[in-house]
Amino acid sequence: MSDNHKSRVVTTGIERAPNRALLRATGFGDRDFDKPIVGVANAHSTITPCNMGIGVLAGRGEAALVAAGAMPQMFGTITISDGISMGTEGMKYSLVSREVIADSIETVCAGQSMDGLLAFGGCDKNMPGAMIAIARLNIPAVFVYGGTIKPGRHDGQDLTIVSVFEAVGARIAGAIDDRALHEIERRACPGAGSCGGMYTANTMSALFEAMGMSLPYSSTMAAEDPEKADSAAQSARVLVDALRARRLPRDILTRKAFENALAVLMALGGSTNAVIHLPAIAHAAGVELTLDDFDAFAARVPVLCDLKPSGRYVATDLHRAGGVPQVMKILLAHGLLHGDAPTVTGQTVSEALGAVPERPRADQDVIRPWERPVYAHGHLAILKGNLAEEGALAKTSGVKVPKITGPARVFDSEEACMAAILDRRIAAGDVVVIRYEGPKGGPGMREMLSPTAALVGQGLGDRVGLVTDGRFSGGTYGMVVGHVAPEAAVGGAIALVAEGDTVVIDAERHLLHLDVPALELARRRAHWQPPAPRHTRGTLAKYARLVSSASRGAVTD
């Protein structure tokens, strides 16, 4: 696409005079028509702290593009706040927004024949949405992360948004009072930036840095620190250089880049949402990436970073400890990165990491040395069995008991499950099953942070299993299994589970099993009827008709 979409077409031929006239109204002068036109995808909004600082960063990027000899054209794209919509119908739009962001950026850049793209994002779906568009367009591009939020503080402890969700559960259990809950709520989010742990936004920004599509160190900078704006300006200068050198995204987003991302994902202990976003980006880039690839890297790569939600530290601590480059250099030294993979700067991964030491500094404990990892293997496990023939996903970091067998407590929506948790109707040893929350069934594959955090707050995080065809927040931990595929809405076995059935979750054996005879399951299947769609018009209805299985990244094209 990039070779056929040149901004300079507006300068040739009498018939292009109307194009030039319209561009003159936006500020073009005679000599500007010979410059590369760069789209600046600006996800600024005041909807969420994740994105409310992006306008300033985009302005710095725009000015740097002009100074470097390009002509920027800024346009807006959307965001919604996962944290604000969590536990509501609005969360159904979260994963949908990834597609809207990708489609909007692709539409503007292709429709206006942009030569390059500088994409700014902050909240969870901004990153994969922008990168899907970048891979589709295949014009020189750089992604600029809006930055992470600084941690809140209360009673000597760092706080994040997940602290508030867990405090709700603790209040219900009587472990804290109203005053303590109010203080945690007041102090958890002190300013601009994305949620501070190694949750989805920070995970995806880190993976983009590892893949070579963002600048070194940029993924862990705090949104409000001056270096973040300086990095935005440098990203613009790198993009103009990439335009002149014709460095195209699909030359960078190769199989090697995705394997580097998988290695870094495991080393960071990153979000489960990477398991749905990386395959979607790979699909757009024409690279084959399967659930089995995640399992393979989990077996090879230890968790090296002690980061929330299951660990102690936040992204700003990781930045001070050496950031993603330090993690990558450790992996490179142990043969787990492709050092010859190219990056948008023109350097290879090895060249970019040349000055980084092979061992982390001794005065910090955020990044562990190779011989003293947090966990000896990766924290994500793909489970299969008669309850998830295509696969399901478990996050094992912080889990004391990696297997549980118990009676199913079955709910056909998140709301029904949450009501049972709040009423204290879930007991130790239960396996909660939340279904009809998948990509088609939800629709939108909601994140289940509210029920999982409430269980943790009640002291049941290690004593209750939870299985769903929905997703989990990057802030979730505990014995939880999501992304169950096939999902209930298309007749997956999760639709056939009955109250009291024995469910086996065994992360060590990578098994998710419904202990019901095959003949009985066949009988239930014969009587099962697909439910009526929850939405018949509008965005969610269109999404439900188009979306693929979670096992394929829930793509819509």
Side-chain angles (χ1 to χ4, degrees):
M1 181 179 291
S2 59
D3 291 334
N4 297 321
H5 288 78
K6 303 285 189 181
S7 63
R8 65 178 65 92
V9 297
V10 299
T11 68
T12 59
I14 296 173
E15 74 279 5
R16 296 301 180 188
N19 305 83
R20 295 194 297 272
L22 288 168
L23 288 171
R24 288 183 193 279
T26 70
F28 276 64
D30 285 343
R31 285 183 285 187
D32 294 329
F33 292 108
D34 294 324
K35 299 174 182 176
I37 297 178
V38 174
V40 180
N42 181 357
H44 169 83
S45 79
T46 56
I47 288 173
T48 169
C50 305
N51 291 54
M52 68 185 192
I54 287 177
V56 172
L57 302 182
R60 280 290 301 274
E62 182 182 43
L65 286 169
V66 171
M71 284 301 292
Q73 290 192 301
M74 189 178 294
F75 61 93
T77 187
I78 69 155
T79 195
I80 67 167
S81 169
D82 287 15
I84 294 172
S85 65
M86 196 74 68
T88 73
E89 279 283 297
M91 173 49 75
K92 292 182 177 181
Y93 287 88
S94 168
L95 191 56
V96 177
S97 74
R98 183 189 77 180
E99 308 307 301
V100 177
I101 293 164
D103 292 350
S104 66
I105 294 174
E106 177 193 354
T107 298
V108 173
C109 289
Q112 298 301 123
S113 301
M114 301 291 188
D115 290 309
L117 171 63
L118 191 64
F120 290 82
C123 204
D124 292 5
K125 305 310 174 293
N126 298 174
M127 273 73 71
M131 197 58 63
I132 288 169
I134 286 169
R136 289 178 188 169
L137 289 160
N138 202 33
I139 57 177
V142 176
F143 180 81
V144 183
Y145 183 40
T148 185
I149 196 171
K150 294 181 178 180
R153 294 284 293 177
H154 179 61
D155 278 349
Q157 299 293 319
D158 281 346
L159 300 177
T160 70
I161 185 60
V162 176
S163 307
V164 185
F165 282 95
E166 291 174 1
V168 170
R171 177 65 190 90
I172 294 164
I176 62 173
D177 59 18
D178 287 340
R179 176 182 171 82
L181 173 59
H182 182 61
E183 287 303 308
I184 292 170
E185 176 209 315
R186 286 181 63 243
R187 300 172 187 273
C189 300
S194 298
C195 299
M198 192 46 62
Y199 311 144
T200 303
N202 285 327
T203 295
M204 296 311 299
S205 70
L207 300 190
F208 291 178
E209 182 179 328
M211 296 167 81
M213 292 302 300
S214 295
L215 299 195
Y217 299 100
S218 65
S219 66
T220 51
M221 293 175 178
E224 296 179 317
D225 284 352
E227 66 175 345
K228 182 75 257 187
D230 293 343
S231 178
Q234 179 61 18
S235 297
R237 292 188 284 270
V238 166
L239 175 57
V240 173
D241 184 64
L243 275 160
R244 291 171 178 146
R246 300 299 296 156
R247 292 186 208 112
L248 301 180
R250 288 187 206 162
D251 294 333
I252 298 168
L253 295 173
T254 62
R255 173 74 187 187
K256 289 182 178 181
F258 284 96
E259 290 187 350
N260 284 351
L262 290 176
V264 171
L265 171 66
M266 300 304 167
L268 292 174
S271 169
T272 56
N273 278 311
V275 181
I276 204 161
H277 295 322
L278 283 178
I281 298 166
H283 173 76
V287 173
E288 181 72 17
L289 194 70
T290 70
L291 295 183
D292 291 338
D293 292 316
F294 289 86
D295 245 7
F297 274 82
R300 296 170 56 199
V301 182
V303 177
L304 297 173
C305 299
D306 189 8
L307 297 167
K308 290 179 181 290
S310 57
R312 294 178 291 167
Y313 297 106
V314 295
T316 50
D317 297 320
L318 174 62
H319 188 64
R320 286 190 291 269
V324 172
Q326 179 63 83
V327 177
M328 292 179 70
K329 188 60 175 276
I330 298 170
L331 295 173
L332 181 66
H334 289 85
L336 290 167
L337 281 192
H338 297 286
D340 59 343
T343 74
V344 72
T345 66
Q347 294 180 303
T348 65
V349 166
S350 291
E351 290 168 344
L353 300 175
V356 179
E358 291 187 359
R359 292 185 60 83
R361 296 197 323 267
D363 63 348
Q364 57 80 43
D365 199 34
V366 185
I367 306 171
R368 300 280 189 88
W370 178 263
E371 66 276 8
R372 192 171 58 86
V374 181
Y375 301 103
H377 53 75
H379 62 300
L380 301 179
I382 303 301
L383 311 187
K384 293 186 179 180
N386 68 347
L387 195 47
E389 293 180 352
E390 292 179 13
L393 173 65
K395 185 176 183 180
T396 60
S397 53
V399 174
K400 296 175 183 176
V401 181
K403 54 187 175 182
I404 184 171
T405 298
R409 303 297 309 281
V410 183
F411 304 94
D412 287 348
S413 70
E414 179 187 2
E415 288 83 358
C417 176
M418 193 63 183
I421 294 171
L422 296 180
D423 288 345
R424 309 298 297 273
R425 289 187 275 124
I426 304 300
D430 286 344
V431 177
V432 173
V433 176
I434 308 176
R435 62 192 181 190
Y436 297 107
E437 290 286 5
K440 286 185 179 293
M445 204 179 180
R446 286 192 286 185
E447 292 180 349
M448 303 292 157
L449 179 58
S450 294
T452 57
L455 288 170
V456 170
Q458 290 182 16
L460 295 173
D462 292 312
R463 298 189 290 163
V464 169
L466 195 152
V467 175
T468 182
D469 52 8
R471 294 181 295 135
F472 294 115
S473 163
T476 294
Y477 64 97
M479 193 64 259
V480 296
V481 180
H483 301 210
V484 172
E487 63 175 288
V490 300
I494 191 172
L496 309 179
V497 182
E499 186 81 6
D501 284 348
T502 298
V503 175
V504 179
I505 304 171
D506 191 335
E508 291 178 338
R509 296 167 59 201
H510 292 228
L511 177 67
L512 183 63
H513 180 70
L514 180 61
D515 194 9
V516 173
L519 285 176
E520 171 59 17
L521 288 179
R523 186 193 67 78
R524 293 181 190 180
R525 185 175 298 283
H527 290 88
W528 178 81
Q529 294 291 328
R534 286 172 168 162
H535 297 267
T536 58
R537 302 185 68 179
T539 299
L540 293 180
K542 287 189 289 186
Y543 182 83
R545 287 194 294 268
L546 292 172
V547 70
S548 73
S549 170
S551 64
R552 296 179 52 216
V555 297
T556 55
D557 63 342

